[in-house]
Amino acid sequence: MLLKRLTEASGVSGNEHEVRNIIIEEIKNYVDSFKIDRLGNIIAFKKGKENNKTLMVTAHMDEVGLLVKEIDQSGLLKFVPVGGIDKRVLVSKVVLVGDNKIPGVIGAKPIHLQKKNERKEALDVDSLYIDIGARSKEDAETKVNIGDYVTFYSEYIEFGSNLIKAKALDNRVGCSLLIDLIKEIKDTSFYAVFTVMEEVGLVGAGPAAYSVNPDIAIILEGTVCYESPKLESHQIPTQIGKGPAISLADRTTVYNPELRKKVVGIAEDKGIPYQFRKTGMGGNDSGKIHTSREGCLTTTISVPCRYIHSPNSVMSIDDYNNTYRLLKELLSSYNKEEL
């Protein structure tokens, strides 16, 4: 299954080549052209009916992870986070280090040895290390190097009421949706762009948008989901099973209301469930895309994902399918020059 391959691949920001290779393998026979730019973005073009406006549909390839910064004398690895990771999720997690995917475990001082004040707060990253089973620094250096990327190890599992558990759903779910569009859509001209380094500052999106120069962009994402019963409804950003989430505003973009109304109107007309993303926190590639060149109208459509930026995120297959339904209808409206 495509989403399984994508989520189980390693692709921490700045090291997306494994994910990029999977995507190219999947799309190369379905696009009229594609290129990899200097940063590593994939910019593909699918030719169909000509349109007065240029459409770009985009998803970022990278995920949050870690980077080895030091190997100590005992062979333990010290690291820095790459992207926004909650340090509370790190202890005891299994990871894969470097291109050879050396297995390791994130370790810390046992709770039995911690002082009372240490137990009250999450351990700082500087107090953690990766144990790869090395006997010494020299032993570890035969397996890994300073600068190696570290990915969480997490298997793709389908469980519960049509749910998926996997790492990197932010944003392999967007990549999977975009690949599906490329394969199925035959009569619509659009650029399909897979960007790099979104998690460390929307790095790839700006140059990609400058190259394509779109009039309209649809950004595909896996977004934050939290449904605690202690929260009032307006505080819940998105909910599993309620359909694709349409963004109102976030840290990097206040979305064009007229374009949003068109997206909502299409969803309602076609009977596709949808919800609004109700938090202004976070951001995505729209932040760089909508300010490129003369500017671009953007909309972000996301699949809600619980436990985002952790080794184990959860999403609904129904939400995925309804997001895909909405995307197909949006491209159909664009083809009719109604978007």
Side-chain angles (χ1 to χ4, degrees):
M1 184 177 180
L2 176 58
L3 190 54
K4 173 180 170 65
R5 291 179 64 206
L6 288 169
T7 56
E8 291 185 350
S10 298
V12 178
S13 302
N15 191 49
E16 297 91 350
H17 62 87
E18 187 176 335
V19 179
R20 183 166 50 242
N21 290 341
I22 293 172
I23 293 171
I24 291 172
E25 177 186 336
E26 291 287 333
I27 72 171
K28 63 184 180 182
N29 296 324
Y30 296 89
V31 295
D32 293 272
S33 65
F34 74 89
K35 69 177 182 179
I36 302 171
D37 70 11
R38 292 172 185 166
L39 290 179
N41 298 309
I42 302 172
I43 301 176
F45 181 66
K46 180 94 174 183
K47 187 175 182 180
K49 177 185 173 183
E50 291 188 5
N51 195 298
N52 291 325
K53 297 178 181 178
T54 300
L55 173 66
M56 181 171 81
V57 187
T58 181
H60 70 87
M61 295 182 282
D62 59 313
E63 64 189 283
V64 298
L66 312 170
L67 189 73
V68 176
K69 69 174 183 178
E70 185 178 346
I71 304 172
D72 74 12
Q73 291 301 316
S74 63
L76 299 175
L77 314 181
K78 303 297 289 184
F79 60 86
V80 293
V82 179
I85 300 177
D86 185 345
K87 60 186 179 182
R88 294 173 296 179
V89 308
L90 292 174
V91 178
S92 81
K93 298 305 184 295
V94 180
V95 294
L96 301 173
V97 183
D99 289 340
N100 292 327
K101 299 191 176 181
I102 303 300
V105 177
I106 299 177
K109 183 194 294 186
I111 192 169
H112 310 73
L113 304 180
Q114 291 176 19
K115 297 177 181 178
K116 187 175 181 179
N117 64 306
E118 291 179 307
R119 300 178 188 178
K120 294 180 180 180
E121 297 182 3
L123 293 173
D124 192 76
V125 170
D126 285 340
S127 300
L128 307 178
Y129 52 82
I130 298 171
D131 184 347
I132 61 169
R135 297 183 299 274
S136 64
K137 180 176 182 178
E138 291 73 23
D139 184 23
E141 288 176 335
T142 66
K143 302 177 179 69
V144 301
N145 299 290
I146 292 175
D148 278 351
Y149 283 89
V150 181
T151 308
F152 293 118
Y153 173 76
S154 180
E155 294 182 339
Y156 171 102
I157 296 173
E158 296 184 10
F159 75 108
S161 300
N162 223 20
L163 302 181
I164 288 169
K165 186 282 295 183
K167 74 169 181 65
L169 288 174
D170 176 14
N171 183 32
R172 306 291 157 66
V173 63
C175 294
S176 181
L177 286 164
L178 186 46
I179 291 168
D180 287 345
L181 280 176
I182 289 169
K183 289 180 176 180
E184 184 170 343
I185 300 299
K186 294 181 171 60
D187 57 351
T188 303
S189 291
F190 69 100
Y191 285 89
V193 177
F194 301 86
T195 63
V196 297
M197 294 183 278
E198 188 266 2
E199 298 291 1
V200 291
L202 322 181
V203 175
Y210 188 92
S211 175
V212 173
N213 194 21
D215 298 291
I216 303 171
I218 301 172
I219 292 86
L220 307 181
E221 268 284 8
T223 197
V224 62
C225 176
Y226 185 64
E227 304 139 308
S228 169
K230 296 180 181 180
L231 294 179
E232 296 183 29
S233 61
H234 71 277
Q235 296 175 306
I236 298 173
T238 68
Q239 298 182 64
I240 289 278
K242 300 293 186 180
I246 301 167
S247 290
L248 301 169
D250 57 41
R251 183 172 51 82
T252 63
T253 308
V254 177
Y255 293 90
N256 180 269
E258 294 305 315
L259 180 56
R260 183 175 66 248
K261 287 177 184 177
K262 289 182 180 180
V263 174
V264 169
I266 290 168
E268 292 179 344
D269 182 61
K270 300 299 180 180
I272 301 170
Y274 71 92
Q275 58 188 305
F276 291 115
R277 184 182 185 274
K278 296 180 184 177
T279 178
M281 299 298 291
N284 59 59
D285 278 342
S286 171
K288 291 291 181 70
I289 293 169
H290 84 284
T291 59
S292 179
R293 293 206 185 196
E294 296 88 0
C296 169
L297 296 182
T298 63
T299 185
T300 293
I301 300 173
S302 306
V303 176
C305 298
R306 295 172 181 159
Y307 327 123
I308 207 162
H309 284 203
S310 82
N312 297 290
S313 297
V314 172
M315 59 160 269
S316 164
I317 296 174
D318 294 333
D319 286 339
Y320 182 100
N321 291 336
N322 282 319
T323 302
Y324 187 63
R325 286 177 59 201
L326 178 57
L327 292 171
K328 287 198 298 182
E329 294 297 339
L330 288 176
L331 264 66
S332 176
S333 294
Y334 165 78
N335 212 24
K336 299 171 185 175
E337 300 193 12
E338 297 173 352
L339 188 63

PDB file of all heavy atoms in Angstrom, residues 60 198 202 205 219-221 223 247 250-253 255 277 282-289 298-302:
ATOM      1  N   HIS A  60       4.306  18.564   1.364  1.00  0.00           N
ATOM      2  CA  HIS A  60       5.727  18.474   1.732  1.00  0.00           C
ATOM      3  C   HIS A  60       6.114  17.039   2.056  1.00  0.00           C
ATOM      4  O   HIS A  60       5.327  16.261   2.609  1.00  0.00           O
ATOM      5  CB  HIS A  60       6.076  19.435   2.868  1.00  0.00           C
ATOM      6  CG  HIS A  60       5.525  19.101   4.216  1.00  0.00           C
ATOM      7  ND1 HIS A  60       6.174  18.266   5.111  1.00  0.00           N
ATOM      8  CD2 HIS A  60       4.393  19.513   4.856  1.00  0.00           C
ATOM      9  CE1 HIS A  60       5.482  18.185   6.224  1.00  0.00           C
ATOM     10  NE2 HIS A  60       4.392  18.921   6.102  1.00  0.00           N
ATOM     11  N   GLU A 198       9.756  21.602   4.968  1.00  0.00           N
ATOM     12  CA  GLU A 198       8.663  22.409   5.498  1.00  0.00           C
ATOM     13  C   GLU A 198       8.754  22.528   7.015  1.00  0.00           C
ATOM     14  O   GLU A 198       8.471  23.586   7.588  1.00  0.00           O
ATOM     15  CB  GLU A 198       7.324  21.771   5.095  1.00  0.00           C
ATOM     16  CG  GLU A 198       6.091  22.617   5.418  1.00  0.00           C
ATOM     17  CD  GLU A 198       5.442  22.287   6.756  1.00  0.00           C
ATOM     18  OE1 GLU A 198       5.963  21.408   7.494  1.00  0.00           O
ATOM     19  OE2 GLU A 198       4.426  22.921   7.086  1.00  0.00           O
ATOM     20  N   LEU A 202       9.519  26.102   6.198  1.00  0.00           N
ATOM     21  CA  LEU A 202       8.894  26.237   4.865  1.00  0.00           C
ATOM     22  C   LEU A 202       9.948  26.517   3.798  1.00  0.00           C
ATOM     23  O   LEU A 202       9.734  27.322   2.884  1.00  0.00           O
ATOM     24  CB  LEU A 202       7.833  27.351   4.866  1.00  0.00           C
ATOM     25  CG  LEU A 202       6.954  27.494   6.121  1.00  0.00           C
ATOM     26  CD1 LEU A 202       5.947  28.619   5.939  1.00  0.00           C
ATOM     27  CD2 LEU A 202       6.270  26.205   6.485  1.00  0.00           C
ATOM     28  N   ALA A 205       9.201  25.579  -0.193  1.00  0.00           N
ATOM     29  CA  ALA A 205       7.983  26.080  -0.825  1.00  0.00           C
ATOM     30  C   ALA A 205       8.195  27.368  -1.611  1.00  0.00           C
ATOM     31  O   ALA A 205       7.639  27.540  -2.705  1.00  0.00           O
ATOM     32  CB  ALA A 205       6.900  26.292   0.233  1.00  0.00           C
ATOM     33  N   ILE A 219      -2.825  23.479  -0.843  1.00  0.00           N
ATOM     34  CA  ILE A 219      -1.802  22.862   0.000  1.00  0.00           C
ATOM     35  C   ILE A 219      -2.441  21.691   0.735  1.00  0.00           C
ATOM     36  O   ILE A 219      -3.475  21.854   1.408  1.00  0.00           O
ATOM     37  CB  ILE A 219      -1.208  23.876   1.004  1.00  0.00           C
ATOM     38  CG1 ILE A 219      -0.402  24.947   0.261  1.00  0.00           C
ATOM     39  CG2 ILE A 219      -0.301  23.174   2.006  1.00  0.00           C
ATOM     40  CD1 ILE A 219      -1.190  26.121  -0.236  1.00  0.00           C
ATOM     41  N   LEU A 220      -1.848  20.517   0.605  1.00  0.00           N
ATOM     42  CA  LEU A 220      -2.355  19.310   1.253  1.00  0.00           C
ATOM     43  C   LEU A 220      -1.520  19.016   2.491  1.00  0.00           C
ATOM     44  O   LEU A 220      -0.291  19.018   2.439  1.00  0.00           O
ATOM     45  CB  LEU A 220      -2.299  18.126   0.277  1.00  0.00           C
ATOM     46  CG  LEU A 220      -2.967  18.348  -1.085  1.00  0.00           C
ATOM     47  CD1 LEU A 220      -2.858  17.098  -1.939  1.00  0.00           C
ATOM     48  CD2 LEU A 220      -4.429  18.750  -0.899  1.00  0.00           C
ATOM     49  N   GLU A 221      -2.192  18.708   3.588  1.00  0.00           N
ATOM     50  CA  GLU A 221      -1.500  18.529   4.858  1.00  0.00           C
ATOM     51  C   GLU A 221      -2.133  17.435   5.710  1.00  0.00           C
ATOM     52  O   GLU A 221      -3.290  17.058   5.508  1.00  0.00           O
ATOM     53  CB  GLU A 221      -1.521  19.838   5.667  1.00  0.00           C
ATOM     54  CG  GLU A 221      -0.322  20.739   5.436  1.00  0.00           C
ATOM     55  CD  GLU A 221       0.932  20.245   6.143  1.00  0.00           C
ATOM     56  OE1 GLU A 221       0.936  19.122   6.696  1.00  0.00           O
ATOM     57  OE2 GLU A 221       1.927  20.993   6.144  1.00  0.00           O
ATOM     58  N   THR A 223      -2.941  17.460   9.624  1.00  0.00           N
ATOM     59  CA  THR A 223      -2.977  18.559  10.599  1.00  0.00           C
ATOM     60  C   THR A 223      -3.330  18.093  12.000  1.00  0.00           C
ATOM     61  O   THR A 223      -3.788  16.970  12.213  1.00  0.00           O
ATOM     62  CB  THR A 223      -3.958  19.655  10.157  1.00  0.00           C
ATOM     63  OG1 THR A 223      -3.692  20.855  10.868  1.00  0.00           O
ATOM     64  CG2 THR A 223      -5.409  19.242  10.386  1.00  0.00           C
ATOM     65  N   SER A 247      -8.657  25.262   6.307  1.00  0.00           N
ATOM     66  CA  SER A 247      -8.033  26.246   7.188  1.00  0.00           C
ATOM     67  C   SER A 247      -8.672  27.621   7.065  1.00  0.00           C
ATOM     68  O   SER A 247      -9.018  28.067   5.963  1.00  0.00           O
ATOM     69  CB  SER A 247      -6.533  26.353   6.885  1.00  0.00           C
ATOM     70  OG  SER A 247      -5.852  25.197   7.292  1.00  0.00           O
ATOM     71  N   ASP A 250      -3.763  30.693  10.083  1.00  0.00           N
ATOM     72  CA  ASP A 250      -2.745  30.080  10.925  1.00  0.00           C
ATOM     73  C   ASP A 250      -1.603  31.077  11.120  1.00  0.00           C
ATOM     74  O   ASP A 250      -1.744  32.262  10.791  1.00  0.00           O
ATOM     75  CB  ASP A 250      -2.263  28.732  10.350  1.00  0.00           C
ATOM     76  CG  ASP A 250      -1.718  28.835   8.935  1.00  0.00           C
ATOM     77  OD1 ASP A 250      -1.000  29.819   8.637  1.00  0.00           O
ATOM     78  OD2 ASP A 250      -1.974  27.927   8.115  1.00  0.00           O
ATOM     79  N   ARG A 251      -0.492  30.610  11.623  1.00  0.00           N
ATOM     80  CA  ARG A 251       0.611  31.504  11.966  1.00  0.00           C
ATOM     81  C   ARG A 251       1.225  32.171  10.736  1.00  0.00           C
ATOM     82  O   ARG A 251       1.833  33.228  10.839  1.00  0.00           O
ATOM     83  CB  ARG A 251       1.676  30.707  12.720  1.00  0.00           C
ATOM     84  CG  ARG A 251       2.858  31.499  13.206  1.00  0.00           C
ATOM     85  CD  ARG A 251       3.754  30.648  14.096  1.00  0.00           C
ATOM     86  NE  ARG A 251       4.098  29.386  13.467  1.00  0.00           N
ATOM     87  CZ  ARG A 251       5.073  29.226  12.564  1.00  0.00           C
ATOM     88  NH1 ARG A 251       5.784  30.263  12.176  1.00  0.00           N
ATOM     89  NH2 ARG A 251       5.328  28.038  12.056  1.00  0.00           N
ATOM     90  N   THR A 252       1.046  31.580   9.549  1.00  0.00           N
ATOM     91  CA  THR A 252       1.716  32.091   8.351  1.00  0.00           C
ATOM     92  C   THR A 252       0.766  32.626   7.287  1.00  0.00           C
ATOM     93  O   THR A 252       1.211  33.293   6.362  1.00  0.00           O
ATOM     94  CB  THR A 252       2.577  30.989   7.706  1.00  0.00           C
ATOM     95  OG1 THR A 252       1.729  29.907   7.275  1.00  0.00           O
ATOM     96  CG2 THR A 252       3.610  30.452   8.677  1.00  0.00           C
ATOM     97  N   THR A 253      -0.535  32.338   7.393  1.00  0.00           N
ATOM     98  CA  THR A 253      -1.485  32.731   6.348  1.00  0.00           C
ATOM     99  C   THR A 253      -2.847  33.056   6.938  1.00  0.00           C
ATOM    100  O   THR A 253      -3.356  32.322   7.787  1.00  0.00           O
ATOM    101  CB  THR A 253      -1.686  31.588   5.322  1.00  0.00           C
ATOM    102  OG1 THR A 253      -0.429  31.127   4.843  1.00  0.00           O
ATOM    103  CG2 THR A 253      -2.526  32.067   4.139  1.00  0.00           C
ATOM    104  N   TYR A 255      -6.272  33.013   5.198  1.00  0.00           N
ATOM    105  CA  TYR A 255      -6.694  32.481   3.908  1.00  0.00           C
ATOM    106  C   TYR A 255      -7.790  33.324   3.271  1.00  0.00           C
ATOM    107  O   TYR A 255      -8.666  33.869   3.950  1.00  0.00           O
ATOM    108  CB  TYR A 255      -7.158  31.029   4.068  1.00  0.00           C
ATOM    109  CG  TYR A 255      -6.009  30.122   4.426  1.00  0.00           C
ATOM    110  CD1 TYR A 255      -5.665  29.886   5.750  1.00  0.00           C
ATOM    111  CD2 TYR A 255      -5.212  29.556   3.442  1.00  0.00           C
ATOM    112  CE1 TYR A 255      -4.587  29.095   6.096  1.00  0.00           C
ATOM    113  CE2 TYR A 255      -4.126  28.760   3.771  1.00  0.00           C
ATOM    114  CZ  TYR A 255      -3.814  28.541   5.092  1.00  0.00           C
ATOM    115  OH  TYR A 255      -2.741  27.761   5.429  1.00  0.00           O
ATOM    116  N   ARG A 277     -10.537  24.026  10.315  1.00  0.00           N
ATOM    117  CA  ARG A 277      -9.411  23.940  11.252  1.00  0.00           C
ATOM    118  C   ARG A 277      -9.498  25.152  12.165  1.00  0.00           C
ATOM    119  O   ARG A 277      -9.317  26.284  11.724  1.00  0.00           O
ATOM    120  CB  ARG A 277      -8.088  23.918  10.475  1.00  0.00           C
ATOM    121  CG  ARG A 277      -6.846  23.727  11.336  1.00  0.00           C
ATOM    122  CD  ARG A 277      -5.599  23.762  10.461  1.00  0.00           C
ATOM    123  NE  ARG A 277      -4.376  23.476  11.203  1.00  0.00           N
ATOM    124  CZ  ARG A 277      -3.639  24.368  11.867  1.00  0.00           C
ATOM    125  NH1 ARG A 277      -4.029  25.640  11.900  1.00  0.00           N
ATOM    126  NH2 ARG A 277      -2.533  24.015  12.486  1.00  0.00           N
ATOM    127  N   GLY A 282       0.560  27.046  14.443  1.00  0.00           N
ATOM    128  CA  GLY A 282       1.184  26.284  13.369  1.00  0.00           C
ATOM    129  C   GLY A 282       1.127  27.030  12.051  1.00  0.00           C
ATOM    130  O   GLY A 282       0.650  28.162  11.953  1.00  0.00           O
ATOM    131  N   GLY A 283       1.630  26.390  11.032  1.00  0.00           N
ATOM    132  CA  GLY A 283       1.639  26.970   9.696  1.00  0.00           C
ATOM    133  C   GLY A 283       2.020  25.900   8.702  1.00  0.00           C
ATOM    134  O   GLY A 283       2.299  24.756   9.066  1.00  0.00           O
ATOM    135  N   ASN A 284       2.032  26.252   7.448  1.00  0.00           N
ATOM    136  CA  ASN A 284       2.409  25.296   6.417  1.00  0.00           C
ATOM    137  C   ASN A 284       2.964  26.046   5.205  1.00  0.00           C
ATOM    138  O   ASN A 284       3.148  27.255   5.255  1.00  0.00           O
ATOM    139  CB  ASN A 284       1.223  24.399   6.041  1.00  0.00           C
ATOM    140  CG  ASN A 284       0.039  25.200   5.534  1.00  0.00           C
ATOM    141  OD1 ASN A 284       0.148  25.936   4.550  1.00  0.00           O
ATOM    142  ND2 ASN A 284      -1.101  25.091   6.204  1.00  0.00           N
ATOM    143  N   ASP A 285       3.207  25.318   4.134  1.00  0.00           N
ATOM    144  CA  ASP A 285       3.863  25.903   2.963  1.00  0.00           C
ATOM    145  C   ASP A 285       3.116  27.074   2.343  1.00  0.00           C
ATOM    146  O   ASP A 285       3.693  27.865   1.596  1.00  0.00           O
ATOM    147  CB  ASP A 285       4.083  24.822   1.895  1.00  0.00           C
ATOM    148  CG  ASP A 285       5.322  23.979   2.163  1.00  0.00           C
ATOM    149  OD1 ASP A 285       6.179  24.428   2.946  1.00  0.00           O
ATOM    150  OD2 ASP A 285       5.437  22.882   1.577  1.00  0.00           O
ATOM    151  N   SER A 286       1.838  27.217   2.663  1.00  0.00           N
ATOM    152  CA  SER A 286       1.100  28.377   2.162  1.00  0.00           C
ATOM    153  C   SER A 286       1.781  29.681   2.562  1.00  0.00           C
ATOM    154  O   SER A 286       1.723  30.675   1.832  1.00  0.00           O
ATOM    155  CB  SER A 286      -0.336  28.368   2.696  1.00  0.00           C
ATOM    156  OG  SER A 286      -1.003  29.571   2.386  1.00  0.00           O
ATOM    157  N   GLY A 287       2.441  29.669   3.730  1.00  0.00           N
ATOM    158  CA  GLY A 287       3.089  30.885   4.213  1.00  0.00           C
ATOM    159  C   GLY A 287       4.096  31.474   3.250  1.00  0.00           C
ATOM    160  O   GLY A 287       4.276  32.695   3.186  1.00  0.00           O
ATOM    161  N   LYS A 288       4.772  30.616   2.501  1.00  0.00           N
ATOM    162  CA  LYS A 288       5.725  31.089   1.491  1.00  0.00           C
ATOM    163  C   LYS A 288       5.094  31.156   0.106  1.00  0.00           C
ATOM    164  O   LYS A 288       5.441  32.022  -0.702  1.00  0.00           O
ATOM    165  CB  LYS A 288       6.943  30.164   1.452  1.00  0.00           C
ATOM    166  CG  LYS A 288       7.828  30.251   2.692  1.00  0.00           C
ATOM    167  CD  LYS A 288       8.543  31.594   2.761  1.00  0.00           C
ATOM    168  CE  LYS A 288       9.445  31.675   3.994  1.00  0.00           C
ATOM    169  NZ  LYS A 288      10.618  30.794   3.895  1.00  0.00           N
ATOM    170  N   ILE A 289       4.152  30.268  -0.181  1.00  0.00           N
ATOM    171  CA  ILE A 289       3.560  30.203  -1.518  1.00  0.00           C
ATOM    172  C   ILE A 289       2.706  31.437  -1.814  1.00  0.00           C
ATOM    173  O   ILE A 289       2.778  32.019  -2.905  1.00  0.00           O
ATOM    174  CB  ILE A 289       2.723  28.919  -1.678  1.00  0.00           C
ATOM    175  CG1 ILE A 289       3.642  27.688  -1.645  1.00  0.00           C
ATOM    176  CG2 ILE A 289       1.921  28.937  -2.980  1.00  0.00           C
ATOM    177  CD1 ILE A 289       2.914  26.361  -1.529  1.00  0.00           C
ATOM    178  N   THR A 298      -4.372  30.928  -1.942  1.00  0.00           N
ATOM    179  CA  THR A 298      -4.127  29.577  -1.448  1.00  0.00           C
ATOM    180  C   THR A 298      -5.281  29.089  -0.582  1.00  0.00           C
ATOM    181  O   THR A 298      -6.004  29.878   0.035  1.00  0.00           O
ATOM    182  CB  THR A 298      -2.841  29.515  -0.592  1.00  0.00           C
ATOM    183  OG1 THR A 298      -2.997  30.338   0.557  1.00  0.00           O
ATOM    184  CG2 THR A 298      -1.625  29.950  -1.382  1.00  0.00           C
ATOM    185  N   THR A 299      -5.422  27.779  -0.560  1.00  0.00           N
ATOM    186  CA  THR A 299      -6.298  27.123   0.403  1.00  0.00           C
ATOM    187  C   THR A 299      -5.556  25.905   0.914  1.00  0.00           C
ATOM    188  O   THR A 299      -4.846  25.235   0.157  1.00  0.00           O
ATOM    189  CB  THR A 299      -7.655  26.724  -0.219  1.00  0.00           C
ATOM    190  OG1 THR A 299      -8.512  26.195   0.800  1.00  0.00           O
ATOM    191  CG2 THR A 299      -7.493  25.683  -1.313  1.00  0.00           C
ATOM    192  N   THR A 300      -5.691  25.631   2.209  1.00  0.00           N
ATOM    193  CA  THR A 300      -5.079  24.440   2.785  1.00  0.00           C
ATOM    194  C   THR A 300      -6.178  23.476   3.198  1.00  0.00           C
ATOM    195  O   THR A 300      -7.102  23.844   3.934  1.00  0.00           O
ATOM    196  CB  THR A 300      -4.205  24.783   4.002  1.00  0.00           C
ATOM    197  OG1 THR A 300      -3.077  25.553   3.558  1.00  0.00           O
ATOM    198  CG2 THR A 300      -3.698  23.518   4.678  1.00  0.00           C
ATOM    199  N   ILE A 301      -6.058  22.254   2.708  1.00  0.00           N
ATOM    200  CA  ILE A 301      -7.018  21.194   3.012  1.00  0.00           C
ATOM    201  C   ILE A 301      -6.240  20.055   3.667  1.00  0.00           C
ATOM    202  O   ILE A 301      -5.280  19.544   3.092  1.00  0.00           O
ATOM    203  CB  ILE A 301      -7.734  20.719   1.740  1.00  0.00           C
ATOM    204  CG1 ILE A 301      -8.484  21.907   1.112  1.00  0.00           C
ATOM    205  CG2 ILE A 301      -8.687  19.569   2.045  1.00  0.00           C
ATOM    206  CD1 ILE A 301      -9.090  21.609  -0.237  1.00  0.00           C
ATOM    207  N   SER A 302      -6.663  19.672   4.849  1.00  0.00           N
ATOM    208  CA  SER A 302      -5.865  18.756   5.660  1.00  0.00           C
ATOM    209  C   SER A 302      -6.667  17.545   6.120  1.00  0.00           C
ATOM    210  O   SER A 302      -7.889  17.619   6.295  1.00  0.00           O
ATOM    211  CB  SER A 302      -5.327  19.470   6.900  1.00  0.00           C
ATOM    212  OG  SER A 302      -4.624  20.645   6.570  1.00  0.00           O
TER     213      SER A 302
END
